[in-house]
Amino acid sequence: TQLLEQSPQFLSIQEGENLTVYCNSSSVFSSLQWYRQEPGEGPVLLVTVVTGGEVKKLKRLTFQFGDARKDSSLHITAAQPGDTGLYLCAGPSGNTPLVFGKGTRLSVIA
Amino acid sequence: SQTIHQWPVTLVQPVGSPLSLECTVEGTSNPNLYWYRQAAGRGLQLLFYSVGIGQISSEVPQNLSASRPQDRQFILSSKKLLLSDSGFYLCAYPLAAGEQFFGPGTRLTVL
């Protein structure tokens, strides 16, 4: 089973700061997905990256897929309290639909 | 529009008691449904998936079971709960490119 390691595990920053979180694997993935989960709710899909080197932007969020398709990053510009949540990366692995990382828990303080 | 309902929202059960969690879906023609558990420090773990009525595959051996009595209904059960069954249970179905659309979840606490 392919594993996804996310870092950092926890991140607490002030409103307006920039941040980057990472999703790494020793295996190649055909695609990677990013989700955000708020407390007491299910994860919500943010984006899917499918091409090595691909960059996708979603307002203040920038997602990048590594050239070798083994890693991905999420950069948030000028973080806001509404960005607070658990950020999960996931990718297809073998016969299972998806394997998930353990997530990065982000807290943005006003 | 696509909707997943999960019931109950929260549940507190004693060790050894039975469990039944329900998931119903609307607005999708995809027959595949999934049960995940999210426990502290362990991330999202796929428990069961179903490709149709009466068809269940288990990903992790445990004291839980799943059933698919109707096309849009997926049930997670246990005859005797363990402390380790505590967690946040999520039902999901796949979107076009394999991404998961998750329900709102059920928080289970086993005491």
Side-chain angles (χ1 to χ4, degrees), chain A residues 28-29 50-55 64-72:
Chain A
V28 175
F29 281 83
V50 297
T51 305
E54 180 178 9
V55 176
Q64 185 164 7
F65 200 12
D67 291 339
R69 291 185 289 126
K70 292 183 177 182
D71 55 84
S72 181

Side-chain angles (χ1 to χ4, degrees), chain A residues 34-91:
Chain A
W34 285 92
Y35 297 77
R36 180 170 67 210
Q37 184 179 21
E38 299 190 15
E41 299 181 9
V44 175
L45 178 69
L46 296 174
V47 78
T48 301
V49 286
V50 297
T51 305
E54 180 178 9
V55 176
K56 282 190 173 179
K57 292 191 174 183
L58 187 65
K59 297 183 179 178
R60 292 176 293 100
L61 278 60
T62 301
F63 303 84
Q64 185 164 7
F65 200 12
D67 291 339
R69 291 185 289 126
K70 292 183 177 182
D71 55 84
S72 181
S73 63
L74 160 58
H75 181 80
I76 301 179
T77 303
Q80 299 177 1
D83 296 325
T84 293
L86 179 67
Y87 288 82
L88 297 163
C89 67

Side-chain angles (χ1 to χ4, degrees), chain B residues 13-98:
Chain B
Q13 292 285 96
V15 169
S17 64
L19 173 74
S20 181
L21 303 182
E22 184 169 337
C23 167
T24 57
V25 301
E26 298 175 4
T28 177
S29 58
N30 193 311
N32 297 344
L33 292 175
Y34 306 95
W35 275 113
Y36 289 86
R37 179 170 60 203
Q38 191 174 31
R42 296 195 63 185
L44 268 169
Q45 182 183 33
L46 179 64
L47 301 176
F48 300 96
Y49 69 92
S50 171
V51 298
I53 295 174
Q55 301 180 66
I56 308 294
S57 295
S58 174
E59 289 295 307
V60 183
Q62 57 207 320
N63 68 318
L64 300 173
S65 62
S67 62
R68 184 88 176 264
Q70 301 179 41
D71 186 49
R72 300 188 184 282
Q73 186 182 30
F74 201 19
I75 296 173
L76 183 71
S77 304
S78 175
K79 293 182 179 179
K80 289 186 177 182
L81 283 168
L82 306 173
L83 285 174
S84 58
D85 291 325
S86 292
F88 193 47
Y89 287 81
L90 291 155
C91 180
Y93 64 74
L95 300 173

